[in-house]
Amino acid sequence: MTPFMLRVAELVESEDLDVPLPVPATVPSQRRSLIGGAEYQVGIRALAEQLVCEANAVLGDDGDQMSLTDEVVDDQLVFTVGYRGRAARVATRFSDGRAEARLVADGIPADEPRELAGTEALPDLLILLLAESDVPHHHVGW
């Protein structure tokens, strides 16, 4: 199992429902070049697909699965990861020759536009999404 799968399994198998939740690293949204914005969005999105597949392998077939949906909305590339009615949305808007990423997620303060600090912050975001969505607790057998 991968390190992320082990984290998901630990969460699923935990009987302690008061485990500390991770805090995904975020930074204020930055304006980048169009290429820089595309690289950011594609990098985060590619890792999200891998991690959602890994999480779903641990969650198994007898319960809810994480979802990953893509959208192209006007001048934005968007993907949303969802689980049990909660979601995390990563969008990059391309306008005026620049790009700007934004994260909107349950459990992340929305006082100012924020983005993930990089791909290394994505596992914490997905674990937070699972934990706050009341992930079912059961034994993970391999």
Side-chain angles (χ1 to χ4, degrees), residues 84-96:
R84 290 189 162 195
R86 297 181 72 86
R89 181 178 189 265
V90 177
T92 299
R93 173 170 291 186
F94 301 87
S95 64
D96 301 323

Side-chain angles (χ1 to χ4, degrees), residues 51-74:
L51 296 179
V52 165
C53 289
E54 290 179 13
N56 285 342
V58 174
L59 293 170
D61 294 331
D62 52 335
D64 295 327
Q65 297 276 292
M66 294 190 90
S67 64
L68 177 64
T69 56
D70 293 301
E71 299 174 68
V72 177
V73 181
D74 298 324

Side-chain angles (χ1 to χ4, degrees), residues 8-90:
V8 173
E10 182 180 321
L11 177 65
V12 169
E13 291 182 335
S14 175
E15 302 211 5
D16 179 9
L17 301 180
D18 292 326
V19 292
L21 297 178
V23 177
T26 64
V27 295
S29 292
Q30 305 170 33
R31 291 192 47 86
R32 308 176 160 80
S33 68
L34 295 176
I35 292 172
E39 285 177 351
Y40 175 88
Q41 184 74 15
V42 169
I44 298 279
R45 167 56 179 82
L47 182 58
E49 183 171 3
Q50 175 187 332
L51 296 179
V52 165
C53 289
E54 290 179 13
N56 285 342
V58 174
L59 293 170
D61 294 331
D62 52 335
D64 295 327
Q65 297 276 292
M66 294 190 90
S67 64
L68 177 64
T69 56
D70 293 301
E71 299 174 68
V72 177
V73 181
D74 298 324
D75 55 356
Q76 297 180 69
L77 293 176
V78 181
F79 72 87
T80 303
V81 177
Y83 185 73
R84 290 189 162 195
R86 297 181 72 86
R89 181 178 189 265
V90 177

Side-chain angles (χ1 to χ4, degrees), residues 7 21-30 32 40 44 90 102-103 105 107-109 114-126 128:
R7 286 183 71 189
L21 297 178
V23 177
T26 64
V27 295
S29 292
Q30 305 170 33
R32 308 176 160 80
Y40 175 88
I44 298 279
V90 177
R102 285 205 179 161
L103 169 67
I108 303 294
R114 312 248 348 139
E115 64 183 60
L116 286 171
T119 55
E120 62 280 353
L122 188 59
D124 284 342
L125 178 64
L126 298 186
L128 179 65

